[in-house]
């Protein structure tokens, strides 16, 4: 096969992929297969040529349709996917040189992402232009960019629930070392300094490490982890900053408790509990003693009431409370457990 034949073949394949991905019922398996095909830079370039050619082809088709209406030409049978793909590929081959020249002369400017954020102690629900709803927990920020191929969300900090409208275009959330892809479902993503946790509330999502090859533990991941995981409702996948993954199950019958202003701790260290509560208030809980910070606690607490949390600790641990300005210091009142 010569270079021209190979290029034409790539354009035909790209056109068929373009047709498939525009279908309203496109599934995740199709998107996964497309991503594998697009990894070849030559295939990706061919797909971009098809995308660049579509507006020109579309205008041509509209002109033909208008002419057909004037001359009352009978409607033709609906064209098949392969016929449409072949037409796109043929037109793209003709337009490729011109499109490449235009792209080289001036690279298209990407639209600015839409940004949303919540303040400390605030919960905020936002309806996106595609009908999806995002609920931001305290001190959370996201950036959203819509393209023809995906609805892309970057969780820059914090915690959010995504209730995804089914449009046929994948909804992708990147956070830390994770990339979560969905079509129509509901899931929570929580970005922490130590890593990210994805919890599926309903439907199905596919989670992969967004930069697997650069993660310190990527060479130790098993094949399933390297390909990513498809979660079931109640699954929580935690991905540490070094790429380590832990899959667990949680109770989702009542939904995330933070939506009711409640935090629940199950055998976590006092340091972890304080860090979580500090997200919800400008009054910060400080535990300067390392041994006290390592004490483990469980319980349910009001998220925005750090003083009440500290008062409860007096009943659970040998601790004394000292309030200084907007800080609550927890210091040992007696010997802690070694």
């Amino acid at each position: 096969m010569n270079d021209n034949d190979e290029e034409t073949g790539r354009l035909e394949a790209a056109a068929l992929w373009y047709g498939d991905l525009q279908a309203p019922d496109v599934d995740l398996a199709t998107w996964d297969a497309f991503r594998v095909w697009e990894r070849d830079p030559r295939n990706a370039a061919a797909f971009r040529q098809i995308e660049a050619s579509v507006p020109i082809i579309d205008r041509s088709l509209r002109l033909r349709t208008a002419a057909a209406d004037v001359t009352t030409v009978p409607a033709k049978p609906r064209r098949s996917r392969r016929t449409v793909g072949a037409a796109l590929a043929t037109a793209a081959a003709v337009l490729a040189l011109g499109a490449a020249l235009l792209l080289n002369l001036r690279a298209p400017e990407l639209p600015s992402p839409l940004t949303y954020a919540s303040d400390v102690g605030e919960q905020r629900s936002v309806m996106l232009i595609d009908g999806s709803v995002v609920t931001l927990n305290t001190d959370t920020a996201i950036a959203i960019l819509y393209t023809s191929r995906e609805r892309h969300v970057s969780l820059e900090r914090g915690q959010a629930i995504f209730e995804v409208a089914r449009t046929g275009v994948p909804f992708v959330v990147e956070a830390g070392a994770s990339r979560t892809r969905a079509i129509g479902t509901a899931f929570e993503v929580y970005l922490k300094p130590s890593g990210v946790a994805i919890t599926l509330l309903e439907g199905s999502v596919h989670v992969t490490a967004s930069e697997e090859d650069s993660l310190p533990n990527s060479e130790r991941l098993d094949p399933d982890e390297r390909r990513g995981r498809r979660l079931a409702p109640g699954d929580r996948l935690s991905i540490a900053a070094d790429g380590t993954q832990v899959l667990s199950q949680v109770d989702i019958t009542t939904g995330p408790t933070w939506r009711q202003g409640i935090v629940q701790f199950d055998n976590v260290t006092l340091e972890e509990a304080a860090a979580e509560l500090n997200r919800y208030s400008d009054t910060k809980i400080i535990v300067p003693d390392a041994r006290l910070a390592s004490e483990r606690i469980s319980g349910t607490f009001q998220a925005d009431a750090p003083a009440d949390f500290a008062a409860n600790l007096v009943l659970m641990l040998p601790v004394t409370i000292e309030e200084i300005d907007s800080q609550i210091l927890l210091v040992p009142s007696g010997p802690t457990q070694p």
Side-chain angles (χ1 to χ4, degrees), residues 2-233:
N2 59 39
D3 291 342
N4 289 336
D5 290 340
E6 183 178 359
E7 180 64 18
T8 300
R10 289 184 188 281
L11 287 169
E12 288 183 358
L16 294 176
W17 277 119
Y18 185 90
D20 281 349
L21 298 180
Q22 301 310 304
D25 58 348
V26 61
D27 55 23
L28 287 175
T30 300
W31 277 97
D32 290 341
F34 169 72
R35 292 298 186 193
V36 172
W37 176 84
E38 194 189 26
R39 287 174 187 168
D40 187 326
R42 295 167 297 180
N43 291 342
F47 193 87
R48 287 195 295 271
Q49 288 183 7
I50 290 295
E51 285 189 308
S53 303
V54 165
I56 302 172
I57 297 167
D58 188 50
R59 285 195 297 271
S60 175
L61 290 175
R62 286 201 300 269
L63 288 173
R64 290 186 184 183
T65 300
D69 289 342
V70 171
T71 56
T72 63
V73 175
K76 295 181 180 179
R78 185 177 180 182
R79 291 170 294 174
S80 69
R81 162 185 175 271
R82 193 158 293 275
T83 301
V84 172
L88 280 170
T90 302
V94 175
L95 295 169
L97 179 59
L101 289 173
L102 288 173
L103 290 171
N104 286 331
L105 287 173
R106 180 180 180 183
E109 296 182 2
L110 291 175
S112 298
L114 302 172
T115 58
Y116 302 96
S118 60
D119 294 330
V120 172
E122 178 190 20
Q123 290 185 18
R124 180 183 179 189
S125 289
V126 179
M127 177 170 284
L128 307 182
I129 60 176
D130 66 337
S132 299
V133 176
V134 181
T135 302
L136 309 177
N137 197 7
T138 175
D139 193 21
T140 295
I142 61 173
I144 304 174
L145 187 62
Y146 293 93
T147 71
S148 61
R149 289 185 283 175
E150 68 180 24
R151 298 166 284 173
H152 187 273
V153 180
S154 175
L155 178 62
E156 298 175 352
R157 68 176 184 272
Q159 184 176 23
I161 294 174
F162 300 91
E163 298 170 89
V164 181
R166 184 176 291 275
T167 68
V169 179
F171 190 100
V172 176
V173 177
E174 289 208 41
S178 72
R179 180 180 175 88
T180 303
R181 183 183 300 136
I183 292 292
T185 185
F187 60 98
E188 177 194 73
V189 182
Y190 182 8
L191 180 60
K192 309 177 185 180
S194 59
V196 60
I198 301 96
T199 305
L200 183 61
L201 305 177
E202 63 180 60
S204 176
V205 295
H206 187 257
V207 183
T208 57
S210 56
E211 298 179 357
E212 281 181 341
D213 293 339
S214 66
L215 295 174
N217 281 350
S218 61
E219 70 278 3
R220 296 198 294 273
L221 299 180
D222 63 40
D224 288 338
E225 289 177 328
R226 296 183 71 88
R227 288 192 297 267
R229 296 177 185 267
R230 190 171 299 280
L231 304 187

Side-chain angles (χ1 to χ4, degrees), residues 214-271:
S214 66
L215 295 174
N217 281 350
S218 61
E219 70 278 3
R220 296 198 294 273
L221 299 180
D222 63 40
D224 288 338
E225 289 177 328
R226 296 183 71 88
R227 288 192 297 267
R229 296 177 185 267
R230 190 171 299 280
L231 304 187
D235 283 349
R236 172 173 292 165
L237 179 62
S238 299
I239 304 178
D242 66 356
T244 303
Q245 299 183 15
V246 176
L247 183 66
S248 58
Q249 281 69 49
V250 297
D251 183 7
I252 59 171
T253 54
T254 58
T257 58
W258 59 259
R259 297 185 93 165
Q260 288 79 49
I262 295 172
V263 292
Q264 290 182 320
F265 300 127
D266 182 13
N267 194 34
V268 303
T269 66
L270 180 55
E271 181 179 31

